[in-house]
Amino acid sequence: DEISTVFPRLELAHLAVLQGAYHEARAELKTVMSVARASGYDWPLVKAARYLGNIATLLGEFPQSRMYLLDSLRLAEELGMIRDQISVLYDLATVEAEAGDKETAVRLLTLVQEHPLSHHTRTFSMFSGDQEVRFQKLAEMYLQRLREEMPHEKYSAAAADGRALELDTAVLEMLNG
């Protein structure tokens, strides 16, 4: 039964990333996606698409990263996976920042930082080994960096927009471009 290979393949991809073997990780994740689609099991699609987006971000392939992350966000939204929506919004915020749209990044990161589930949602980051981190802390650290890089007025306005932003609205805005 191929579906039983999904979780080991996700773990193999994780290990490959930690070793800098991004192409091997991509191959494992694409296999996960293929198996999950064939079996109708959508949960691994959310994870695999997110991880593929993260790898593309590491490689500076921002259009591809955004494509994978939006696919992950769409699936997480359809499946009602709120914690995954928060994690993907965090990832999209980092892509937006690296691609130059720091205002959008601040809006999304402020939402992530202040969302109640981000205080409880932990991640074993694909890129930090077994270090467990709360998304609230990740968002806080990235916001600090952006606060130092951006003019005060622009940062403050974007942060205020992010505080007023609802999760559902942010998800729809990102999905609808």
Coordinates of all heavy atoms in Angstrom, one line a residue, residues 85-122:
Q85 N -3.0 26.9 7.9 CA -3.2 28.2 7.2 C -2.3 29.2 7.9 O -1.6 30.0 7.2 CB -4.7 28.6 7.4 CG -5.6 27.8 6.5 CD -7.1 28.1 6.8 OE1 -7.4 29.3 6.9 NE2 -7.9 27.2 7.0
I86 N -2.2 29.2 9.2 CA -1.3 30.1 9.9 C 0.2 29.9 9.5 O 0.9 30.8 9.2 CB -1.5 30.0 11.4 CG1 -2.9 30.5 11.8 CG2 -0.4 30.7 12.2 CD1 -3.3 30.1 13.2
S87 N 0.6 28.6 9.4 CA 2.0 28.3 9.1 C 2.3 28.7 7.6 O 3.4 29.3 7.4 CB 2.3 26.9 9.4 OG 1.6 26.0 8.5
V88 N 1.3 28.5 6.7 CA 1.6 28.9 5.3 C 1.6 30.4 5.2 O 2.4 30.9 4.4 CB 0.6 28.2 4.4 CG1 0.8 28.7 3.0 CG2 0.7 26.7 4.5
L89 N 0.7 31.1 5.9 CA 0.7 32.5 5.9 C 2.1 33.1 6.4 O 2.6 34.0 5.8 CB -0.4 33.1 6.7 CG -1.8 33.1 6.0 CD1 -2.9 33.6 7.0 CD2 -1.9 33.8 4.7
Y90 N 2.6 32.5 7.4 CA 4.0 32.8 7.8 C 5.0 32.7 6.7 O 5.8 33.5 6.4 CB 4.4 32.0 9.0 CG 5.9 32.2 9.4 CD1 6.3 33.3 10.1 CD2 6.9 31.4 8.9 CE1 7.6 33.6 10.4 CE2 8.2 31.7 9.1 CZ 8.6 32.7 9.8 OH 9.9 33.0 10.1
D91 N 4.9 31.5 6.0 CA 5.9 31.2 4.9 C 5.7 32.2 3.8 O 6.7 32.7 3.2 CB 5.7 29.8 4.4 CG 6.0 28.7 5.5 OD1 6.8 29.0 6.4 OD2 5.5 27.6 5.4
L92 N 4.4 32.5 3.5 CA 4.1 33.4 2.4 C 4.7 34.8 2.8 O 5.2 35.6 1.9 CB 2.6 33.5 2.1 CG 2.1 32.4 1.2 CD1 0.6 32.3 1.2 CD2 2.6 32.5 -0.2
A93 N 4.5 35.2 4.0 CA 5.1 36.5 4.5 C 6.6 36.6 4.2 O 7.1 37.6 3.8 CB 4.7 36.7 5.9
T94 N 7.3 35.5 4.5 CA 8.7 35.5 4.3 C 9.1 35.6 2.8 O 10.0 36.3 2.4 CB 9.4 34.3 4.9 OG1 9.0 33.1 4.3 CG2 9.2 34.2 6.4
V95 N 8.3 35.0 2.0 CA 8.5 35.1 0.5 C 8.2 36.5 0.1 O 9.0 37.1 -0.7 CB 7.6 34.1 -0.2 CG1 7.6 34.4 -1.7 CG2 8.0 32.7 0.0
E96 N 7.1 37.1 0.5 CA 6.8 38.5 0.2 C 7.9 39.4 0.6 O 8.3 40.3 -0.2 CB 5.4 38.9 0.8 CG 4.2 38.1 0.3 CD 4.0 38.3 -1.2 OE1 4.2 39.3 -1.8 OE2 3.5 37.3 -1.8
A97 N 8.4 39.3 1.8 CA 9.5 40.1 2.3 C 10.8 40.0 1.4 O 11.4 41.0 1.0 CB 9.8 39.8 3.7
E98 N 11.1 38.7 1.1 CA 12.3 38.5 0.3 C 12.2 39.0 -1.1 O 13.1 39.4 -1.8 CB 12.7 37.0 0.3 CG 13.1 36.5 1.7 CD 14.2 37.2 2.4 OE1 15.2 37.6 1.7 OE2 14.1 37.5 3.6
A99 N 10.9 39.0 -1.6 CA 10.6 39.4 -3.0 C 10.4 41.0 -3.0 O 10.2 41.5 -4.1 CB 9.4 38.7 -3.5
G100 N 10.5 41.6 -1.9 CA 10.4 43.1 -1.8 C 9.1 43.7 -1.3 O 9.1 44.9 -1.2
D101 N 8.1 42.9 -1.1 CA 6.8 43.5 -0.6 C 6.8 43.4 0.9 O 6.1 42.5 1.5 CB 5.6 42.7 -1.3 CG 4.3 43.4 -0.9 OD1 4.3 44.4 -0.2 OD2 3.3 42.9 -1.5
K102 N 7.5 44.2 1.5 CA 7.6 44.2 3.0 C 6.4 44.6 3.7 O 6.1 44.1 4.8 CB 8.8 45.0 3.4 CG 10.2 44.5 2.9 CD 11.3 45.3 3.3 CE 12.6 44.7 2.8 NZ 13.8 45.5 3.1
E103 N 5.6 45.4 3.1 CA 4.3 45.8 3.7 C 3.4 44.6 3.9 O 2.8 44.4 4.9 CB 3.6 47.0 3.0 CG 4.3 48.3 3.1 CD 5.5 48.5 2.1 OE1 5.7 47.6 1.3 OE2 6.1 49.6 2.2
T104 N 3.2 43.9 2.8 CA 2.4 42.7 2.9 C 3.0 41.7 3.9 O 2.2 41.1 4.7 CB 2.3 42.0 1.5 OG1 1.6 42.9 0.6 CG2 1.5 40.7 1.6
A105 N 4.3 41.6 3.9 CA 4.9 40.7 4.9 C 4.6 41.1 6.3 O 4.2 40.3 7.2 CB 6.4 40.7 4.7
V106 N 4.7 42.4 6.6 CA 4.4 42.9 8.0 C 2.9 42.6 8.3 O 2.6 42.2 9.4 CB 4.7 44.4 8.1 CG1 4.2 45.0 9.4 CG2 6.2 44.6 8.0
R107 N 2.0 42.9 7.4 CA 0.6 42.6 7.6 C 0.4 41.1 8.0 O -0.3 40.8 9.0 CB -0.3 42.9 6.4 CG -0.5 44.4 6.1 CD -1.3 44.6 4.8 NE -2.7 44.3 5.0 CZ -3.4 43.4 4.3 NH1 -2.9 42.8 3.3 NH2 -4.7 43.2 4.6
L108 N 0.9 40.2 7.2 CA 0.7 38.8 7.4 C 1.4 38.4 8.7 O 0.8 37.6 9.5 CB 1.2 38.0 6.3 CG 0.4 38.1 5.0 CD1 1.1 37.4 3.8 CD2 -1.0 37.7 5.1
L109 N 2.6 38.8 8.9 CA 3.3 38.4 10.2 C 2.7 38.9 11.4 O 2.7 38.3 12.5 CB 4.8 38.9 10.1 CG 5.7 38.2 9.1 CD1 7.0 38.9 8.9 CD2 5.9 36.7 9.5
T110 N 2.1 40.1 11.4 CA 1.4 40.7 12.5 C 0.2 39.8 12.8 O -0.1 39.5 14.0 CB 1.0 42.2 12.3 OG1 2.2 42.9 12.1 CG2 0.3 42.7 13.5
L111 N -0.6 39.5 11.8 CA -1.7 38.6 11.9 C -1.3 37.2 12.6 O -1.8 36.8 13.6 CB -2.4 38.3 10.6 CG -3.4 37.1 10.6 CD1 -4.6 37.5 11.5 CD2 -3.8 36.8 9.2
V112 N -0.2 36.6 12.0 CA 0.3 35.4 12.6 C 0.7 35.5 14.0 O 0.4 34.7 14.9 CB 1.5 34.8 11.7 CG1 2.2 33.7 12.4 CG2 1.0 34.4 10.3
Q113 N 1.4 36.6 14.3 CA 2.0 36.8 15.7 C 0.8 37.0 16.7 O 0.9 36.5 17.8 CB 2.8 38.1 15.7 CG 3.4 38.3 17.1 CD 4.1 39.7 17.2 OE1 3.8 40.6 16.5 NE2 5.1 39.8 18.1
E114 N -0.3 37.6 16.3 CA -1.4 37.9 17.2 C -2.5 36.9 17.2 O -3.3 36.9 18.1 CB -1.9 39.3 16.9 CG -0.8 40.3 17.2 CD -1.3 41.7 17.3 OE1 -2.5 41.9 17.3 OE2 -0.5 42.6 17.5
H115 N -2.5 36.0 16.2 CA -3.5 35.0 16.2 C -3.4 34.0 17.4 O -2.3 33.5 17.7 CB -3.5 34.2 14.9 CG -4.7 33.4 14.6 ND1 -5.0 32.2 15.3 CD2 -5.8 33.7 13.9 CE1 -6.2 31.7 14.9 NE2 -6.7 32.6 14.0
P116 N -4.5 33.7 18.1 CA -4.4 32.9 19.3 C -3.8 31.5 19.0 O -3.0 31.0 19.9 CB -5.9 32.7 19.7 CG -6.6 33.8 19.1 CD -5.8 34.2 17.9
L117 N -4.0 30.9 17.9 CA -3.4 29.6 17.6 C -1.9 29.7 17.4 O -1.2 28.6 17.6 CB -4.1 28.9 16.4 CG -5.5 28.4 16.7 CD1 -6.1 27.8 15.5 CD2 -5.5 27.4 17.8
S118 N -1.4 30.8 17.0 CA 0.1 30.9 16.8 C 0.8 30.8 18.1 O 2.0 30.4 18.1 CB 0.5 32.1 16.1 OG 0.4 33.3 16.9
H119 N 0.2 31.0 19.2 CA 0.8 30.9 20.5 C 0.9 29.4 20.9 O 1.7 29.1 21.8 CB 0.0 31.7 21.6 CG -0.1 33.1 21.3 ND1 0.8 34.0 21.8 CD2 -0.9 33.8 20.5 CE1 0.5 35.2 21.4 NE2 -0.5 35.1 20.6
H120 N 0.1 28.6 20.3 CA 0.1 27.2 20.6 C 0.6 26.3 19.5 O 1.0 25.1 19.7 CB -1.4 26.7 20.9 CG -2.0 27.5 22.1 ND1 -1.6 27.4 23.4 CD2 -2.9 28.4 22.1 CE1 -2.2 28.2 24.1 NE2 -3.1 28.9 23.4
T121 N 0.6 26.9 18.3 CA 1.1 26.1 17.1 C 2.6 26.1 17.1 O 3.2 27.1 17.1 CB 0.5 26.7 15.8 OG1 -0.9 26.7 15.9 CG2 1.0 25.9 14.6
R122 N 3.1 24.9 17.1 CA 4.6 24.7 17.1 C 4.9 24.1 15.8 O 4.1 23.4 15.1 CB 5.0 23.8 18.2 CG 4.7 24.3 19.6 CD 5.1 23.3 20.6 NE 4.8 23.9 21.9 CZ 4.3 23.1 22.9 NH1 4.1 21.9 22.7 NH2 4.1 23.7 24.1

